[in-house]
Amino acid sequence: MTRIRLLVLALALALVAAACGDGDSEATTATTAAPATTTTAAPTTTTAAQTTTTAAQTTTTTEAMEEPVAGLAPGNYQFGFTAVVSGAVAFAGVPHLQGLQLAEREINETGYLGDGVTIEFLVEDAGGDQAAAIAINDAYIANDDVLALVCCALSSVAGAIQPNIVEAGLAWVDHAAIAPTITDPDNAFRSFPLSQPSTAAIAEAAVAAFAPDNAVVVVTADNDGLVSDRDATLGVLDSSGIEVLGVIDTFADDTDMSGPATEAISMGADVIFLAQLGNTEVLMVQELRDRGYAGPIVGNLAIATAETWEQAGDTLLGTVLPIAFFAGKGDPMVQDFAAKYEAAYDTVPDIFAAQGWQVAWFMAQALKNGGEGTREAVLEGVRQIQTMETVFGTLTWDARGEATIDAWTFVQWSPDGELVIWDGSAEGLLPNINQ
Amino acid sequence: MTLFLQQTINGLAVGSSYAIFAMGFGLVFATMGILNVAHGTYATWGAILALAAFDSLGVPLVPALAIGMAGGGLLGVLVDQLGFEPIRRRGGGLLGPIITSIGFWIILGQLAIIATGARIKTFPREALPRGFVRIGDLVIPYHQIITFAVALLLLLILYLFMMRTNIGAQMRAVGWDPDSAKISGVNPRRVVIVISFIAAATASVAGILSSISTNNVSFTVGEGLLLKGFAAVIIGGFGDLRGAYVGGILIGLAEVLGAQYISNSFRDFITFGLLIVVLLARPKGLMGDRIVGLRA
């Protein structure tokens, strides 16, 4: 009997090991399946050394490959990436990693950094856990081969790792966390546009379009970035003279939104603004619509993924959100990236995939600017990036290391499950299931 | 008043999920003396298996849910026989099973992450009961009615099973004193297998209902139920199925009404404050002194 138990236990462990192995092999398959053809999706940049944007800077990376990269000796250059492929934020972390690795392969296969020059993102999964993230980044810092760090998907994790990284002095690029306090002119930068301006922008658009007398704001109260988004919304409502009937706190690990939705509906708001994390916002929209709320909802990119539509379906109709990237955008760079991503992963890229893609190109550009494989050079290379044509649009960095976008796009879900442009008018808002 | 009634209905629905989970959790705790922290993973796996049967095998919804329930139950038996039975035979005390259950909690949790790809999976919305019943200004979604009804039905079935069947009597006997039960001709191992199956299947029901309510099948389904289910068992009294049910309902009501009328920020404070108050006032739980149910 004991032998049978041991056998079953060994079998279970073997299954676990095999399953882990499957994950690796999928990555390998994706690697070989990744196309290495055109490179028009590669961002183009303007650096401090090149203070004006010229035609030469909008060339494809294939052409860039033919240009010698001064000082960058052939070799493999490493960055430390803190992933979140497990835990509650894996919905974002998985596409982050996929986008990053797709870009990594393209950068290497096209020779963007020169002949024999490749980059490699070391990947460790922190699962959204602060202590794990600190340990991972401390290990990266102690590894002299790691030239710079890329992290985080969560503001709470970014806040936790910040002190040690600032102390260590190497470049840290935040690829997705939205707390405004992360960036630091010394060594902490952001590779994507911060959401608070988009929150304010869509709040202004909603106020103009729907002319509400009052509003309710729902927030994930244990997330610094979303609290900042809440404040941005409240600022717009206050300056527009809109009465705020209430601010409802929810939490990142909540699984039931029936109570908060009931509370929000009972207030009789003309518009409901959501600043929630991931699945909590999806659940909130579902509860609001299923309980008969017929007014407009203003959300955020938490409800922008394909999985969101599968989960919430037509309850998402009549909800608008600001977004820097969506695959339906006509921009050639976006279309090129979307085609490559879909070919590699058999799914349409979402905003998180775009963030992963973008940060990989950002780091490659920093390395290229720095011209040598040292932490100091890469840090200087990051500082030199002033503007960049990306899948988000034209990004411009300020002195603090914060990226701003030239224009935000407002989108909404269509009945056939596609994100489509919201033109910013009340008439342009598609009817929801309660209308 | 409408708001109060609406939130009370919400609290009853949330509490019903906790109650279902707590009944199974309490069953194991009361009869086998095991604080099984892996119990939440049975809820997770019940939901995952139901979705897999529906989505991948094309099984209709109701049979798929039954497969999820049965699969979760079998998983509970497997864990018990692999992990707890050897310890029981050696008289391992309280600590050994807890550590073992932590091990299974981690393993089954990791396997759930692999199975779901760490992503949220969903039943097609059209397959789920949508819509709601309106009573005046009150809105009661079908899924809340189903959850509430299933909790009551399970309480009734389990209670009658425990009190009116031979195997139920054997389960109570083993819970009271396994050695005496053995002397009386009861096969404790067989009884333990039945208990493990029922408890884990009950947890799976909670996980499935929770997943349907939110259309959210993920590896975290059982995590939310575990702590609340544990609190429900302690508040209600772990020797009584009805106590677990009442404890679950009370926690659901305290959570939702506390969030509405005090603050959502104090929700867990209210829930576990209630736990501490009950422990201080009635250490055996609200129904712990009634000596009915498992220990009758």
Side-chain angles (χ1 to χ4, degrees), chain B residues 232-252:
Chain B
V233 168
I234 299 301
I235 288 172
F238 67 83
D240 193 313
L241 283 170
R242 294 171 303 176
Y245 178 84
V246 169
I249 295 290
L250 279 179
I251 287 177

Side-chain angles (χ1 to χ4, degrees), chain A residues 175-176 178 191-199 201-202 299-302 304 321-331 333-335 337 349-355 357-358 388-395 403-411 419 421:
Chain A
H175 68 284
I178 57 172
S191 60
F192 67 101
L194 197 57
S195 64
Q196 282 79 35
S198 74
T199 306
I202 199 165
N300 62 23
L301 55 80
L321 59 139
I323 203 160
F325 169 89
F326 81 107
K329 214 171 172 178
D331 185 299
M333 190 180 279
V334 170
Q335 289 306 307
F337 163 58
D350 56 22
I351 178 70
F352 307 114
Q355 288 173 336
W357 168 270
Q358 159 61 10
M388 198 167 181
E389 294 298 326
T390 74
V391 289
F392 300 127
T394 304
L395 296 184
T404 54
I405 195 169
D406 52 346
W408 287 94
T409 305
F410 302 146
V411 295
L419 281 174
I421 299 283

Side-chain angles (χ1 to χ4, degrees), chain A residues 208-292:
Chain A
F210 309 126
D213 293 326
N214 51 52
V216 164
V217 180
V218 184
V219 62
T220 299
D222 53 349
N223 182 287
D224 290 346
L226 292 163
V227 168
S228 298
D229 279 353
R230 174 204 64 188
D231 292 342
T233 300
L234 290 174
V236 171
L237 296 177
D238 183 50
S239 63
S240 307
I242 311 295
E243 182 187 4
V244 178
L245 299 173
V247 176
I248 299 172
D249 289 348
T250 61
F251 297 94
D253 59 355
D254 282 352
T255 54
D256 181 80
M257 286 291 143
S258 61
T262 299
E263 188 177 356
I265 293 170
S266 74
M267 292 176 182
D270 292 338
V271 181
I272 295 177
F273 291 88
L274 306 179
Q276 292 182 277
L277 183 70
N279 195 47
T280 59
E281 184 157 306
V282 185
L283 296 176
M284 189 68 184
V285 172
Q286 284 185 90
E287 287 286 353
L288 287 170
R289 292 303 185 203
D290 281 344
R291 286 167 185 275

Side-chain angles (χ1 to χ4, degrees), chain A residues 5 16 85 87 90 94 249 251 254-256 258-259 262-263 279 283 286 290-291 307 311-312 314-315, chain B residues 3 6-7 10 14 81 89 111 114 118-120 122 125 130 132 144 214-216 219 260 264-265 267:
Chain A
R5 266 200 306 276
V16 174
V85 292
V94 171
D249 289 348
F251 297 94
D254 282 352
T255 54
D256 181 80
S258 61
T262 299
E263 188 177 356
N279 195 47
L283 296 176
Q286 284 185 90
D290 281 344
R291 286 167 185 275
E307 287 86 354
Q311 184 179 358
D314 57 9
T315 57
Chain B
L3 179 61
Q6 186 71 65
Q7 293 290 34
N10 293 336
V14 173
Q81 291 301 297
R89 269 192 283 158
L111 288 174
I114 292 166
R119 309 295 290 266
I120 291 169
T122 58
R125 270 180 71 81
R130 283 186 73 179
F132 37 79
Q144 287 193 339
T214 58
N215 200 11
N216 169 9
F219 62 92
Q260 172 66 53
N264 207 16
S265 303
R267 193 186 48 193

Side-chain angles (χ1 to χ4, degrees), chain B residues 153-205:
Chain B
L153 193 66
L154 266 179
L155 172 65
L156 186 68
I157 291 171
L158 286 176
Y159 186 78
L160 290 176
F161 180 78
M162 296 296 294
M163 303 302 290
R164 301 285 171 84
T165 66
N166 183 263
I167 185 75
Q170 290 181 34
M171 286 162 68
R172 283 182 285 133
V174 169
W176 191 256
D177 186 342
D179 293 331
S180 301
K182 198 171 183 179
I183 292 168
S184 305
V186 173
N187 180 344
R189 186 164 185 189
R190 189 176 70 117
V191 169
V192 160
I193 287 173
V194 172
I195 293 170
S196 300
F197 181 84
I198 292 173
T202 308
S204 297
V205 172

